[in-house]
Amino acid sequence: MSTEKLKNHKIIFVVGGPGSGKGTQCEKIVQKYGYTHLSTGDLLRAEVSSGSERGKKLQAIMEKGELVPLDTVLDMLRDAMMAKADVSKGFLIDGYPREVKQGEEFEKKIAAPTLLLYVDAGKETMVKRLLKRGETSGRVDDNEETIKKRLETYYKATEPVIAFYKSRGIVRQLNAEGSVEEVFQQVCSHLDSL
């Protein structure tokens, strides 16, 4: 399967902790810019709810709060991108890469990213937002103990990723403490200059 036709697309990695508001920002980018939003979390959850063999294995991994194998995530991403290559203006890859090696593999197998948007919210803010979401979401991973674990996993994994892409000059850091609109204004100033 050739990924040649993805080469001319804008590919934007969106990195931010759980509860940073990156999902909301991605929705707004889709509406305004016509990009395709691919969340590795959503792809994984869809696979789990399909009840497939792969889905059952993934569910067990996710319930332990562990990360899903690299190749699995990459294959799912590539399939999803190829399916939309003809109709999309660009791709928002949400929650990926979680480690430098993932970013390198992505480039080898798919394409190089245009930008990395770093949706940066403080730890307290993220915990507060997630607990609030947990009241209504019914998601198994929105409880305080799991949240703290997820944040730890996230910080450990993300710092080297941000550093790696900063050295290439493609990181755009957003202050995600403000309102949805304030954060989105920052997003637009970066995307409009592409």
Side-chain angles (χ1 to χ4, degrees):
M1 180 160 74
S2 164
T3 52
E4 197 51 46
K5 59 177 167 183
L6 295 173
K7 292 278 187 281
N8 306 325
H9 288 65
K10 294 194 172 43
I11 297 175
I12 306 207
F13 287 159
V14 186
V15 176
S20 61
K22 68 180 161 59
T24 307
Q25 293 302 322
C26 286
E27 280 168 32
K28 293 182 76 65
I29 295 170
V30 168
Q31 284 162 7
K32 180 167 179 184
Y33 295 93
Y35 286 17
T36 298
H37 176 207
L38 296 174
S39 151
T40 52
D42 288 348
L43 289 172
L44 293 169
R45 278 189 286 276
E47 186 77 34
V48 167
S49 61
S50 76
S52 67
E53 267 315 299
R54 179 158 81 173
K56 286 184 186 122
K57 284 194 189 112
L58 293 174
Q59 184 167 12
I61 295 170
M62 284 156 79
E63 278 172 358
K64 288 188 203 131
E66 291 168 7
L67 294 179
V68 171
L70 192 66
D71 288 343
T72 309
V73 179
L74 204 56
D75 289 345
M76 291 166 95
L77 267 178
R78 187 180 58 195
D79 294 349
M81 288 173 79
M82 292 301 287
K84 293 275 167 88
D86 294 333
V87 293
S88 187
K89 296 184 177 164
F91 293 96
L92 294 171
I93 313 290
D94 175 354
Y96 190 96
R98 290 229 169 131
E99 48 192 67
V100 171
K101 188 167 165 252
Q102 287 185 338
E104 292 173 332
E105 286 296 305
F106 184 97
E107 276 182 55
K108 249 187 250 159
K109 292 188 179 167
I110 304 176
T114 315
L115 267 195
L116 183 148
L117 284 181
Y118 178 27
V119 187
D120 189 21
K123 204 179 232 173
E124 280 70 40
T125 304
M126 293 196 280
V127 171
K128 237 193 338 234
R129 287 178 184 167
L130 288 171
L131 286 173
K132 199 171 169 194
R133 184 176 80 184
E135 290 165 16
T136 53
S137 74
R139 272 179 56 174
V140 291
D141 52 1
D142 280 344
N143 61 70
E144 191 147 5
E145 194 187 329
T146 314
I147 287 169
K148 295 230 159 93
K149 246 197 222 143
R150 283 165 68 203
L151 284 176
E152 251 164 65
T153 306
Y154 161 73
Y155 280 118
K156 243 199 306 235
T158 310
E159 278 159 15
V161 171
I162 301 294
F164 177 71
Y165 289 106
K166 261 191 181 150
S167 69
R168 295 195 183 181
I170 65 167
V171 173
R172 302 291 177 269
Q173 190 160 349
L174 311 170
N175 173 355
E177 292 287 334
S179 70
V180 170
E181 281 313 319
E182 285 165 349
V183 180
F184 191 56
Q185 278 173 353
Q186 300 173 62
V187 171
C188 294
S189 68
H190 297 311
L191 295 188
D192 289 344
S193 63
L194 288 180

